[in-house]
């Protein structure tokens, strides 16, 4: 069984029950989220074992995160309780751009942002097949970024999602430097999109992006084109899978589902084109509901969608 360790901040998501600006939303629905937690759930649904290396608050939300992730089959034995609070974010849906969501973070100084190199157990990192993290973990604190560096230095294989969140960086130049720094440490599978690639490399076009990332040592590129679909590149191989046209409730988490499903299948030796198809189908299901990870399918349900549409 493929075993992955992911480093990042699990969060409590408060998702608006109704559409429109949050100042007039009265009711919110609670979910467990956070990019790397979502990634772990998706990887587990596709047969991987996933250990989340993280901190949560020693509070009701922290216990909620740990119990939920344990229930979803994620290994929570490397999540520590910390005396800062569990981070929270709110989701505003279909406003100001219909079909899109906006996230508002209440996470500065959170337990999750206190992740540090002491939380990175060398024995775990040596034992797993691959280590995963994202640009969010690079952004939340210096100590969290150092934790990623430490883990990537020890890891046998690495996968990384750029996930550049402008709200978490002082400026985009800082994000660019931090992502390039991780790429130079060696990333086998890179998950990204044209917006982030514009920040990192100043280009958007898929072939050009892969050419440039490859020069930086990336072997496999999963290039997400949003509502258009996604590409995968490896050496001279290139595949494209168009996105499904589905009713959008909340697109938050779609990228993590795509990353987790693709990575679990890729690491277990699946054909790239097949991994891409299941990843695109899984992310299509996630956007049809609120919550980032409840609608991630298992293999059988993903196949039902692949057959139906
Ligand atoms: O790129 P995605 O929409 O898949 O990521 C969503 C997650 O961790 C969400 O759970 C949110 O809390 C975050 O990304 C974040 O910190 O932005
Ligand atoms: Mg993303």
């Amino acid at each position: 069984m493929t075993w992955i360790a992911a480093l990042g901040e699990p969060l409590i998501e408060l998702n608006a029950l109704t559409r429109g600006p949050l100042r007039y939303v009265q009711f919110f629905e609670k979910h467990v989220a956070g990019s790397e937690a979502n990634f772990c759930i998706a990887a587990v649904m596709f047969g991987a074992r996933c250990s989340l290396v993280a901190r949560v608050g020693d509070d009701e939300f922290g216990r909620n995160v740990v119990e939920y992730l344990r229930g979803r089959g994620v290994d929570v034995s490397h999540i520590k309780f910390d005396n800062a609070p569990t981070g929270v974010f709110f989701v505003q849906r279909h406003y100001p751009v219909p079909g899109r969501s906006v996230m508002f973070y209440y996470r500065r100084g959170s337990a999750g942002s206190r992740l540090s190199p002491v939380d990175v157990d060398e024995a775990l990192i040596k034992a797993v097949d691959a280590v995963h993290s994202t640009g969010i973990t690079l952004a939340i604190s210096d100590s969290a970024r150092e934790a990623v560096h430490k883990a990537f230095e020890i890891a046998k294989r690495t996968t990384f999602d750029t996930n550049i969140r402008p709200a978490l960086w002082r400026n985009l130049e800082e994000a660019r430097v931090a992502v390039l720094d991780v790429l130079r440490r060696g990333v086998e599978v890179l998950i990204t999109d044209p917006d982030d690639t514009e920040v990192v490399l100043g280009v958007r076009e898929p072939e050009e992006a892969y050419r440039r990332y490859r020069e930086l040592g990336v072997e496999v590129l999963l290039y997400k084109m949003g509502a258009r679909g996604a590409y995968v590149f490896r050496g001279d191989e290139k595949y494209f899978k168009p996105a499904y046209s589905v009713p959008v409730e909340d697109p938050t988490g779609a990228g993590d589902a795509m990353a987790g499903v693709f990575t679990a299948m890729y690491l277990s030796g699946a054909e790239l084109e097949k991994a891409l198809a299941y990843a695109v189908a899984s992310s299509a299901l996630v956007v049809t509901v609120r919550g980032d990870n409840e609608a991630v399918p298992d293999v059988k349900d993903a196949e039902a969608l692949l057959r139906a549409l």
Side-chain angles (χ1 to χ4, degrees):
M1 183 192 262
T2 302
W3 186 10
I4 307 168
L7 280 73
E9 179 175 17
L11 294 159
I12 290 293
E13 170 180 299
L14 291 158
N15 202 312
L17 271 183
T18 50
R19 299 174 177 204
L22 280 201
R23 70 196 93 157
Y24 302 123
V25 169
Q26 308 281 24
F27 299 106
F28 295 89
E29 183 178 78
K30 180 166 66 69
H31 297 269
V32 170
S35 177
E36 299 80 5
N38 298 334
F39 172 96
C40 278
I41 290 171
V44 166
M45 293 299 283
F46 277 72
R49 176 173 174 197
C50 198
S51 304
L52 184 62
V53 178
R55 292 191 190 200
V56 294
D58 186 9
D59 51 24
E60 287 301 322
F61 285 161
R63 282 183 272 280
N64 184 183
V65 165
V66 170
E67 287 177 16
Y68 178 77
L69 292 177
R70 182 186 292 125
R72 297 296 307 266
V74 175
D75 169 27
V76 296
S77 64
H78 295 269
I79 302 181
K80 289 184 187 159
F81 288 98
D82 181 291
N83 49 26
T86 302
V88 168
F89 72 107
F90 290 78
V91 179
Q92 169 175 289
R93 298 186 299 108
H94 294 269
Y95 186 89
V97 183
R100 299 209 194 148
S101 295
V102 184
M103 293 182 274
F104 296 96
Y105 300 125
Y106 293 79
R107 67 193 293 180
R108 191 160 297 146
S110 65
S113 71
R114 289 161 64 152
L115 180 71
S116 95
V118 302
D119 305 327
V120 178
D121 173 357
E122 289 189 29
L124 170 76
I125 304 301
K126 284 188 179 138
V128 297
D129 298 297
V131 172
H132 173 79
S133 196
T134 76
I136 299 165
T137 311
L138 304 182
I140 52 179
S141 67
D142 291 346
S143 64
R145 188 182 317 163
E146 285 157 17
V148 174
H149 293 170
K150 176 178 172 186
F152 273 39
E153 258 143 41
I154 306 170
K156 297 199 242 330
R157 305 175 75 178
T158 56
T159 70
F160 185 76
D161 182 337
T162 52
N163 261 348
I164 295 176
R165 305 287 197 247
L168 298 178
W169 292 98
R170 265 195 293 270
N171 55 61
L172 291 177
E173 174 59 17
E174 273 197 347
R176 187 180 75 86
V177 169
V179 169
L180 283 173
D181 184 18
V182 166
L183 291 175
R184 286 198 193 95
R185 287 163 200 269
V187 170
E188 177 178 339
V189 179
L190 180 69
I191 300 128
T192 188
D193 63 19
D195 287 348
D196 284 8
T197 300
E198 177 131 44
V199 173
V200 178
L201 301 174
V203 305
R204 300 183 69 86
E205 198 268 318
E207 275 79 15
E208 178 65 5
Y210 182 54
R211 198 181 62 72
R212 300 279 302 279
Y213 283 128
R214 210 177 161 188
E215 283 170 5
L216 293 165
V218 170
E219 284 176 40
V220 176
L221 175 67
L222 175 59
Y223 205 61
K224 299 173 295 173
M225 307 298 288
R228 285 185 46 212
Y231 289 93
V232 172
F233 295 89
R234 177 177 59 191
D236 297 330
E237 290 174 86
K238 170 184 159 187
Y239 305 100
F240 176 71
K241 176 81 181 165
Y244 294 94
S245 156
V246 292
V248 177
E249 181 74 359
D250 171 22
T252 315
D256 301 329
M258 201 185 283
V261 170
F262 178 80
T263 303
M265 291 185 71
Y266 167 76
L267 292 173
S268 73
E271 296 288 328
L272 284 188
E273 193 173 12
K274 186 173 175 195
L276 175 65
Y278 283 70
V280 169
S282 303
S283 73
L285 289 169
V286 167
V287 308
T288 63
V289 298
R290 295 185 297 276
D292 294 13
N293 50 60
E294 289 86 343
V296 175
D298 59 12
V299 176
K300 184 174 90 359
D301 288 349
E303 280 167 357
L305 175 63
L306 287 166
R307 275 194 308 271
L309 293 181

